[in-house]
Amino acid sequence: MMFAIGLIVGLLAGGAAGFFGARAYMKKYFQDNPPVNEEMLQTMMMSMGQKPSQKKLNQMMAQMKQAQKRSAK
């Protein structure tokens, strides 16, 4: 009986520790590697010598979102 209670408590404690550990890892990851937004894309294109229009930025953002969806499958 004590074994079963210990097992349940251990599983709950491990699940909570895993959840908070993964959450902290993801916060740090997104802080170090922020997702690309339109402003970053515009800066990147300007550094390559291009003058991007809003239409071009929207197209590139849509392409990046589609690529993310395809890679997630």
Side-chain angles (χ1 to χ4, degrees):
M1 184 67 172
M2 288 298 284
F3 176 74
I5 293 172
L7 183 65
I8 291 171
V9 169
L11 286 173
L12 290 174
F19 171 76
F20 288 110
R23 184 173 157 231
Y25 172 77
M26 290 307 292
K27 277 187 176 181
K28 183 174 177 352
Y29 177 81
F30 281 123
Q31 189 175 27
D32 294 342
N33 304 306
V36 176
N37 59 18
E38 286 186 26
E39 201 172 299
M40 293 171 72
L41 194 58
Q42 182 179 14
T43 304
M44 181 179 70
M45 289 178 71
M46 289 178 77
S47 71
M48 293 187 303
Q50 298 179 12
K51 178 78 170 114
S53 65
Q54 189 63 39
K55 181 179 177 183
K56 182 73 170 175
L57 288 173
N58 291 342
Q59 287 175 341
M60 290 187 72
M61 288 298 292
Q63 287 175 350
M64 290 175 65
K65 286 180 184 178
Q66 282 182 340
Q68 279 181 336
K69 286 181 184 177
R70 275 187 256 127
S71 66
K73 287 183 180 180

